[in-house]
Amino acid sequence: MAKLLIDIHTHVYLPRYVSFLRARSSVPRIFSRNTAEGKTEERLLILDGEPSGGRPMGPQYWDREQKLSFMDRHGIDISLVSSANPWLDFLPASTAHSLANELNNDLEEYCSTSPSLSAAGGTTKRLYGFGLLPLVPDVPITSLVDTVKQITKLEHLKGIILGTHGVGKGLDDDALEPVWSAIAEAGLVVFLHPHYGVDGKEWGKKDNGHVLPLALGFPFETTIAATRLILSGVFDRHPDLRILLAHSGGTLPQLSSRLASCIDHDPIVASRLQHDARYYLGKLYFDAVAYGAEELGFVSDAIGRAEWFAARPSSAAASKEQGLALRALGSKRMLFGTDHPFFPPLSSTEKWKSVVENLEAIDGVHGWSETEKDAVRGRNALALFGIPSAK
Amino acid sequence: MAKLLIDIHTHVYLPRYVSFLRARSSVPRIFSRNTAEGKTEERLLILDGEPSGGRPMGPQYWDREQKLSFMDRHGIDISLVSSANPWLDFLPASTAHSLANELNNDLEEYCSTSPSLSAAGGTTKRLYGFGLLPLVPDVPITSLVDTVKQITKLEHLKGIILGTHGVGKGLDDDALEPVWSAIAEAGLVVFLHPHYGVDGKEWGKKDNGHVLPLALGFPFETTIAATRLILSGVFDRHPDLRILLAHSGGTLPQLSSRLASCIDHDPIVASRLQHDARYYLGKLYFDAVAYGAEELGFVSDAIGRAEWFAARPSSAAASKEQGLALRALGSKRMLFGTDHPFFPPLSSTEKWKSVVENLEAIDGVHGWSETEKDAVRGRNALALFGIPSAK
């Protein structure tokens, strides 16, 4: 089997969505303004109060040719494309439902009409996708389940991208139980991705651009959502549910033993879970978008040790026996990603620094052989998403 | 030199502070209530809206004999004791200043009259301490500098415990510049410790006890404060400043490469710093209070690699050369701690699980020899705090 490079964290604003954002007068919206050089530029405002008037917007966000050209430039064979935040979070329920359906059909077409992986043709495409659910307050749960069914029927959509707010009360909301059932039964992969960060007052008064909300807020949000999911017992009730965490799980790995300790010291919370908190990291998947080899090595340790914690009370003493064997084990649940078209290079260069760093990080993990590195770069994605590799 | 076990993260509410909290009618406060068994118990409410009416309070929080008895039970030779949160944060400036001075004198006496390390006597004590600054809004900066000078003269106080709010605008506040200068010049160690967490709305509606604010909120707060300090250039301006981060730096290690990437993509923020963000982790110290061996191993990797990032642009490729050598290097800045008297055992046991876990974690770090483990358990603390080990 040829070695493939597969990007499972790469975003698009589909043309229908872009038109929708252009027509809006409040955030999220796309607006035009004149530059100092007398040209017109479009900018995307995702949240109120973004520094420097939002971010520059161009066809890299919607044009499939630019996605494919980016892939070619970086040697990426296949991409699993997902809509970028804020998805449909800001819409009333009925609009969200109809737009989700339309965007899912659009994305299916975006993928199904993409080039074949092999120049000789074949059914394996270069683009696959994650669909959208209309996760907004007041949406009927049946609409969500219906949309899961719609996505299941769209052959090139292999999963669903989810934010963290659910239908307004977060992902640990009991009301979502039928949605988890439907997703697990359909075998779709949930890609859990941040959008809101944490309260902006935490960042203080200094102007640090987007650095603090992006570098810290995003991973914090993912960590909180994943932890609340663990505490809600979702993984005990749906052991087959496959959830992929953005940005290598945020900070869940580094806080997982502290989390286990805090739960241990609260008998009521502990009694609701079948396992030590660290066990659930072995049920999750993690992208490899962490920009550093030591980070990836550690995330794979945290996944690899999960099985020690199947029983309660668990024995941490097991750790002394294992060393780097953990790391190989954990690599099976980690998958390369780029976060394209975000983190663009500051100057025009052949390759994007953000992509190069993520590839170098995989290559630099101490204790991963080429087998593990190849798995993280592509083989894990083929298996997780059920993509035919040789057709 | 005998091997010592030194606890650098262990708290006290000094008797004067306890009396103060008992007299208060709003949080933070200590109040009495009757138990179901008809007994009277005291409880500590640190923040409004704490679950289950705060935490049970007893002499383990203030009685020095109980601290020494806990140390004996766990084989701890020396403790560096710090006041527990919320310190003086809730007080008006004049009260905060006078109470800080009194509590610093109280803690000096608590330490200076403690038993000698050696049964044969000698100047090395079993207890040393971190003093308090009156870090509240409207306090004159001269009061802070004066209190730094007071602490410097108190022979058994080796550092200062700091929350994250500064004089109301966080620790990246330019107004604090004379305070950092005074601390660096005095050679005191700053112990940066969380108290506020992040906005409680992040935790959702489910009752998860203290788990989310303690397991996630505390480390997030430390991470934000440390990151804002890095971005403010404090470590460029004060290269001799020694700051020890609680709970193994929260999540700063796992987010440090992402932080570096976000800064790289913002030329204005990047231009204000002399180094890649990861460099500054090698200027910091980290307690080893993370409850897991893999966490500690990773934190030591993140410290150990810091020197690669002294130059900008840095070369991540260096990582491929290093492997476990990093880990030995990083261990020099990590120090054992217990968080006593928090995380008490649920039932009476000989040893506290939280302590045993932190000791097992140190013992279980893949790639640390006994030399590194002994350093983390005690030798690093002797050096960092300048404690005479054999007198």
Side-chain angles (χ1 to χ4, degrees):
Chain A
M1 188 169 72
K3 291 177 184 180
L4 297 176
L5 185 60
I6 303 182
D7 181 2
I8 58 85
H9 188 157
T10 180
H11 297 298
V12 66
Y13 290 114
L14 290 163
R16 184 189 305 272
Y17 189 80
V18 171
S19 302
F20 198 91
L21 291 186
R22 281 189 182 124
R24 287 175 56 83
S25 57
S26 58
V27 293
R29 68 190 184 105
I30 296 170
F31 67 99
S32 293
R33 71 177 190 188
N34 295 324
T35 66
E37 296 81 35
K39 293 182 181 168
T40 302
E41 64 165 11
E42 285 195 310
R43 294 185 80 88
L44 169 67
L45 265 177
I46 298 184
L47 294 166
D48 275 317
E50 274 191 79
S52 52
R55 59 195 88 200
M57 191 77 185
Q60 71 275 23
Y61 284 90
W62 58 78
D63 181 343
R64 192 177 70 181
E65 289 312 307
Q66 293 219 8
K67 181 70 78 185
L68 289 163
S69 153
F70 165 82
M71 289 166 63
D72 289 340
R73 190 187 299 180
H74 296 89
I76 296 166
D77 298 289
I78 297 174
S79 289
L80 274 288
V81 179
S82 49
S83 285
N85 56 305
W87 313 294
L88 309 167
D89 285 27
F90 53 94
L91 293 171
S94 61
T95 315
H97 188 190
S98 59
L99 192 54
N101 274 260
E102 291 166 346
L103 290 169
N104 289 334
N105 287 328
D106 290 353
L107 186 61
E108 171 65 17
E109 191 187 345
Y110 176 104
C111 298
S112 66
T113 62
S114 72
S116 292
L117 179 62
S118 160
T123 56
T124 303
K125 296 292 183 182
R126 294 196 64 192
L127 297 172
Y128 291 88
F130 291 93
L132 281 176
L133 296 185
L135 277 165
V136 297
D138 302 323
V139 77
I141 297 300
T142 52
S143 292
L144 298 173
V145 173
D146 285 348
T147 309
V148 172
K149 289 180 185 160
Q150 179 215 11
I151 293 169
T152 309
K153 288 180 191 151
L154 297 172
E155 198 183 346
H156 297 83
L157 302 193
K158 302 296 186 184
I160 296 171
I161 187 162
L162 283 194
T164 64
H165 277 199
V167 293
K169 293 181 186 166
L171 297 178
D172 54 1
D173 185 349
D174 296 335
L176 295 177
E177 198 56 23
V179 181
W180 301 123
S181 294
I183 292 173
E185 193 182 336
L188 292 166
V189 175
V190 170
F191 183 19
L192 181 59
H193 193 288
H195 164 58
Y196 296 94
V198 295
D199 195 296
K201 71 174 185 295
E202 316 290 351
W203 313 133
K205 303 288 186 193
K206 295 247 168 147
D207 180 5
N208 290 308
H210 287 90
V211 169
L212 290 165
L214 267 187
L216 309 186
F218 259 34
F220 289 170
E221 181 188 356
T222 307
T223 307
I224 295 168
T227 303
R228 287 173 54 182
L229 274 176
I230 290 171
L231 292 175
S232 77
V234 161
F235 300 107
D236 289 328
R237 291 192 299 280
H238 305 284
D240 296 334
L241 189 62
R242 298 180 302 166
I243 297 192
L244 167 66
L245 300 182
H247 314 116
S248 293
T251 66
L252 182 62
Q254 203 187 341
L255 298 179
S256 54
S257 291
R258 180 175 174 87
L259 175 64
S261 176
C262 289
I263 293 172
D264 264 353
H265 286 81
D266 189 325
I268 296 172
V269 176
S271 70
R272 299 199 304 246
L273 294 178
Q274 289 177 19
H275 305 280
D276 180 288
R278 286 165 283 196
Y279 169 80
Y280 301 100
L281 275 75
K283 305 296 287 179
L284 293 162
Y285 297 84
F286 298 76
D287 74 24
V289 182
Y291 307 93
E294 291 69 34
E295 283 82 350
L296 297 185
F298 168 61
V299 172
S300 65
D301 287 347
I303 302 167
R305 75 182 175 191
E307 273 300 323
W308 307 340
F309 300 100
R312 301 187 71 166
S314 55
S315 166
S319 65
K320 298 183 70 174
E321 311 298 325
Q322 311 274 339
L324 289 170
L326 290 192
R327 241 167 222 213
L329 201 61
S331 69
K332 296 185 203 304
R333 290 177 170 268
M334 299 178 67
L335 305 93
F336 170 69
T338 64
D339 225 341
H340 180 263
F342 299 102
F343 296 87
L346 296 175
S347 55
S348 89
T349 54
E350 197 193 339
K351 294 195 174 185
W352 288 29
K353 185 166 189 241
S354 53
V355 180
V356 171
E357 282 176 343
N358 279 319
L359 284 169
E360 284 182 349
I362 293 169
D363 202 40
V365 174
H366 176 70
W368 278 359
S369 70
E370 284 304 308
T371 307
E372 280 88 46
K373 293 173 189 174
D374 287 337
V376 175
R377 286 187 283 243
R379 207 168 57 244
N380 293 342
L382 290 178
L384 179 61
F385 296 101
I387 296 171
S389 63
K391 289 178 192 167
Chain B
M1 188 169 72
K3 292 178 182 177
L4 296 178
L5 184 61
I6 303 182
D7 180 1
I8 58 83
H9 188 157
T10 180
H11 297 298
V12 65
Y13 290 115
L14 289 163
R16 185 189 304 272
Y17 189 80
V18 171
S19 301
F20 198 91
L21 290 186
R22 280 190 182 126
R24 286 175 56 84
S25 56
S26 58
V27 293
R29 66 189 183 106
I30 295 169
F31 66 99
S32 293
R33 72 177 189 190
N34 295 324
T35 66
E37 296 82 34
K39 292 183 181 167
T40 302
E41 63 165 12
E42 285 195 308
R43 294 186 81 88
L44 169 67
L45 266 177
I46 297 185
L47 295 166
D48 275 317
E50 274 190 81
S52 51
R55 60 196 87 200
M57 192 76 186
Q60 71 275 24
Y61 283 90
W62 59 78
D63 181 342
R64 192 177 70 181
E65 289 313 306
Q66 293 218 8
K67 181 70 79 185
L68 290 164
S69 153
F70 165 83
M71 289 166 63
D72 290 339
R73 191 187 299 180
H74 296 90
I76 296 167
D77 298 289
I78 297 173
S79 289
L80 275 287
V81 179
S82 50
S83 286
N85 56 304
W87 314 294
L88 309 168
D89 285 27
F90 53 95
L91 293 172
S94 61
T95 315
H97 188 190
S98 59
L99 192 54
N101 274 260
E102 290 167 346
L103 290 170
N104 289 334
N105 287 328
D106 290 352
L107 187 60
E108 171 65 18
E109 191 186 345
Y110 176 104
C111 299
S112 65
T113 62
S114 72
S116 293
L117 179 62
S118 159
T123 56
T124 303
K125 295 292 182 181
R126 294 197 63 192
L127 297 171
Y128 292 88
F130 291 94
L132 281 176
L133 296 185
L135 276 165
V136 297
D138 303 322
V139 76
I141 296 299
T142 51
S143 292
L144 298 173
V145 172
D146 285 348
T147 308
V148 172
K149 288 180 185 161
Q150 179 214 10
I151 293 169
T152 310
K153 288 181 191 150
L154 296 172
E155 198 183 346
H156 296 84
L157 301 193
K158 301 296 186 183
I160 297 171
I161 187 162
L162 283 195
T164 65
H165 277 200
V167 293
K169 293 182 186 166
L171 298 179
D172 54 2
D173 184 347
D174 296 336
L176 295 177
E177 199 56 23
V179 181
W180 300 124
S181 294
I183 292 173
E185 193 182 335
L188 292 166
V189 175
V190 170
F191 184 18
L192 181 59
H193 193 287
H195 164 58
Y196 296 93
V198 295
D199 196 297
K201 72 175 184 297
E202 316 290 351
W203 313 133
K205 303 288 185 193
K206 295 246 169 149
D207 180 6
N208 290 307
H210 287 90
V211 168
L212 290 165
L214 266 186
L216 309 185
F218 258 34
F220 289 171
E221 181 187 356
T222 307
T223 307
I224 295 168
T227 304
R228 286 172 56 182
L229 273 176
I230 290 171
L231 292 174
S232 77
V234 160
F235 300 107
D236 289 329
R237 292 192 298 281
H238 304 284
D240 295 334
L241 189 62
R242 298 181 300 168
I243 296 192
L244 167 67
L245 300 182
H247 313 116
S248 293
T251 66
L252 181 63
Q254 204 187 341
L255 298 179
S256 54
S257 290
R258 180 174 174 86
L259 176 63
S261 176
C262 289
I263 293 171
D264 263 353
H265 286 80
D266 189 324
I268 297 172
V269 176
S271 70
R272 299 200 303 246
L273 294 178
Q274 290 177 18
H275 305 278
D276 180 287
R278 286 165 282 196
Y279 170 79
Y280 301 100
L281 275 75
K283 304 296 287 180
L284 293 162
Y285 297 83
F286 298 75
D287 74 24
V289 182
Y291 308 94
E294 291 69 35
E295 284 82 349
L296 297 185
F298 168 61
V299 172
S300 64
D301 287 348
I303 302 167
R305 74 182 176 193
E307 272 300 323
W308 307 340
F309 300 101
R312 301 186 73 165
S314 54
S315 167
S319 65
K320 298 182 68 173
E321 310 299 324
Q322 311 273 339
L324 289 170
L326 291 192
R327 235 163 227 216
L329 202 60
S331 69
K332 296 185 201 306
R333 289 177 171 268
M334 299 178 67
L335 304 93
F336 170 70
T338 63
D339 225 341
H340 179 263
F342 300 102
F343 296 86
L346 297 175
S347 53
S348 88
T349 55
E350 197 192 339
K351 293 195 174 185
W352 288 29
K353 185 165 189 241
S354 54
V355 179
V356 171
E357 282 176 344
N358 278 321
L359 283 170
E360 284 182 350
I362 294 170
D363 202 39
V365 174
H366 177 71
W368 279 359
S369 69
E370 284 303 309
T371 306
E372 280 88 44
K373 293 173 189 175
D374 287 337
V376 174
R377 286 188 284 243
R379 208 169 55 244
N380 292 342
L382 290 178
L384 179 62
F385 296 101
I387 296 171
S389 63
K391 287 178 192 166

